[in-house]
Amino acid sequence: MSDSYLTITVFRDERELAKSLADRLAADLARQPRQVLGLATGRTPVRLYHELGTLRAKGRADFSHVVTFNLDEFWGVSPRDPGSYRAFMDEHLFRRVEIRPEQINFLRGDAPDADQECARYDAAIASAGGIDIQLLGIGTNGHIGFNEPARELAARTHRVRLKESTRRSNAALFDGDVSRVPAEALSMGMGSILRARHIVLIATGKSKARCVQQLVNGPITTKLPASFLQLHASVEIFLDTAAAAGIAS
Ligand code: GLP
């Protein structure tokens, strides 16, 4: 399925989606082994990451020349904290595809100075040559990375205050205790995301149907940060049937 701005593919279920996208990314890597990948956390990409691990174990995906940049990290949280996005990525992807630590770039939630850490990250992305493929999930309120709905959106990597709804949806990382979810995070900005050469957004489940519908058919608005993807020339959206419910023809 496609409309004038975004290429949309709908899969029967999450499993089919993850397998198809993993095969596609493995094929991209076979063609161009040195890729800079922008990566996302959340429940949505977990199956994809495990599929990539399976392909790696079968010798069908080679990550040895890949460089990664994750979108975001909780502020005030060390990478060794089990609730950190870094720990999440280690568990679900990095270990499975045997990426070496020097290939991994991550915002440090325990950096001494947030502004300096954000500037360091933007400089690191630039010196890696920019992001080739940016993988995104989407929050139920339309956030991408931690770019929350607001009157203005930051262009660059920045420190952000999290919405209560976002803290609740991240509580599982902190043993289900919302009070332990940090109130702030560091996140790549909309500009950093839109500079990626290619963007792949995944959304699954009926809780995402409304924001996907708005992303695809609605106006471009800071009230739905994902709507800015309509401005990018190369965006693919991978959905399961539940997430596509609002746009299915
Ligand atoms: C989190 C992350 C986002 C992610 C989103 C959706 O807060 N910062 O990068 O895309 O929420 O998460 P999930 O995939 O669990 O629905």
Side-chain angles (χ1 to χ4, degrees), residues 39-46 70-74 85 88 135-141 143-148 162 165-167 169-170 173 185-187 201-204 207-208:
L39 298 174
T41 51
R43 282 177 297 276
T44 312
V46 166
N70 263 78
L71 281 166
D72 44 18
E73 180 59 285
F74 295 110
Y85 277 172
F88 175 96
L135 190 67
L136 296 174
I138 183 168
T140 49
N141 64 3
H143 75 235
I144 50 180
F146 273 134
N147 294 280
E148 296 276 32
L162 301 179
S165 59
T166 300
R167 293 181 70 212
S169 39
N170 279 277
L173 295 171
L186 304 182
S187 177
L201 180 139
I202 321 177
T204 55
S207 68
K208 302 292 171 71

Side-chain angles (χ1 to χ4, degrees), residues 25-84:
L25 292 174
D28 286 347
L29 285 177
R31 234 185 351 263
Q32 189 190 327
R34 201 270 178 192
Q35 298 230 21
V36 181
L37 300 183
L39 298 174
T41 51
R43 282 177 297 276
T44 312
V46 166
R47 271 179 194 265
L48 167 68
Y49 292 158
H50 294 187
E51 283 294 336
L52 288 170
T54 305
L55 292 180
R56 168 70 188 83
K58 290 178 179 163
R60 289 177 48 211
D62 178 7
F63 283 79
S64 54
H65 301 286
V66 162
V67 174
T68 71
F69 285 87
N70 263 78
L71 281 166
D72 44 18
E73 180 59 285
F74 295 110
W75 180 240
V77 164
S78 129
R80 285 174 306 282
D81 187 311
S84 69

Side-chain angles (χ1 to χ4, degrees), residues 16 31 36 38 63 76 80 88 96 98-99 142 159-160 177 187 196 202 216 230:
E16 297 269 311
R31 234 185 351 263
V36 181
F63 283 79
R80 285 174 306 282
F88 175 96
R96 292 166 192 256
E98 296 174 41
I99 287 190
R159 182 173 175 172
V160 63
D177 182 353
S187 177
I202 321 177
V216 173
Q230 293 184 31

Side-chain angles (χ1 to χ4, degrees), residues 36-40 67-73 85-86 89 94 103-109 111 113-131 134 156-158 186-189 192-193 195:
V36 181
L37 300 183
L39 298 174
V67 174
T68 71
F69 285 87
N70 263 78
L71 281 166
D72 44 18
E73 180 59 285
Y85 277 172
R86 175 57 197 261
M89 291 302 298
F94 296 152
Q103 296 171 263
I104 299 168
N105 292 278
F106 232 96
L107 282 156
R108 295 243 359 178
D113 182 288
D115 291 343
Q116 275 176 23
E117 176 61 3
C118 293
R120 176 196 70 79
Y121 207 62
D122 283 333
I125 294 172
S127 77
I131 290 172
Q134 176 65 58
R156 295 176 174 275
T157 303
H158 60 292
L186 304 182
S187 177
M188 276 167 57
S192 337
I193 292 168
R195 266 195 290 276

Side-chain angles (χ1 to χ4, degrees), residues 1 8-11 203-210 212-213 216-217 237-249:
M1 191 193 300
I8 302 168
T9 312
V10 182
F11 294 84
T204 55
K206 65 175 194 287
S207 68
K208 302 292 171 71
R210 192 163 156 270
V212 166
Q213 193 272 335
V216 173
N217 297 321
I237 301 185
F238 284 68
L239 305 172
D240 68 356
T241 45
I247 55 166
S249 48

